[in-house]
């Protein structure tokens, strides 16, 4: 909807930022996408860990993102994050600790860790 254009992923740029080969980036992304597609096709619940960012929970038709506190603090600043937490307490439900067992966040306990 809205005639939005899809921009292809720039594998070379990602490879340079991650200091790995383009082939490794392509293989990793294609492998992860294939695994996700397989799990979703079978109707499995998934907790996809995005290192240093958070956890994407896909359970049935529900999709929810939980961010690591450190990531949100880096993005918004500690003071802004505290103010937002007071003004909109529901935001606290979107925060998860990096030391929390990720499997406990999903009904199935299935976890995929994105490199």
């Amino acid at each position: 909807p809205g005639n939005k254009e899809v921009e292809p992923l720039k594998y070379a740029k990602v490879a340079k930022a991650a200091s790995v080969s383009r082939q490794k980036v392509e293989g990793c992304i294609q492998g992860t996408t294939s695994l996700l597609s397989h799990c979703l096709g079978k109707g499995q619940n998934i907790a996809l860990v995005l290192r240093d960012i958070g956890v994407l929970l896909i359970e049935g038709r529900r999709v929810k993102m939980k961010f690591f506190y450190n990531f949100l603090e880096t993005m918004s600043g500690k003071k802004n994050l505290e103010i937002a937490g007071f003004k909109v307490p529901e935001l606290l439900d979107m925060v998860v600790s990096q030391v929390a067992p990720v499997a406990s966040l999903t009904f199935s306990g299935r976890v995929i860790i994105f490199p």
Side-chain angles (χ1 to χ4, degrees), residues 30-94:
Q30 289 174 356
T32 302
T33 312
S34 176
L35 179 58
L36 274 171
S37 176
H38 175 77
C39 291
L40 292 172
K42 290 185 162 244
Q44 297 173 331
N45 297 329
I46 300 167
L48 178 65
V49 178
L50 301 169
R51 188 176 34 174
D52 298 329
I53 297 172
V55 182
L56 179 66
L57 298 167
I58 305 170
E59 297 176 317
R61 293 179 180 240
R62 273 186 74 207
V63 177
K64 186 175 194 176
M65 185 70 196
K66 290 193 173 262
F67 296 96
F68 295 135
Y69 182 86
N70 290 349
F71 172 76
L72 291 176
E73 186 179 70
T74 300
M75 296 303 290
S76 65
K78 186 173 186 167
K79 187 169 183 145
N80 288 337
L81 186 55
E82 289 171 356
I83 291 169
F86 284 119
K87 288 186 177 181
V88 186
E90 298 84 30
L91 289 177
L92 297 177
D93 188 41
M94 295 176 59

Side-chain angles (χ1 to χ4, degrees), residues 1-16:
N3 296 325
K4 295 180 183 175
E5 290 186 35
V6 176
E7 186 175 323
L9 182 61
K10 294 176 175 58
Y11 292 109
K13 191 173 182 180
V14 173
K16 184 176 179 182

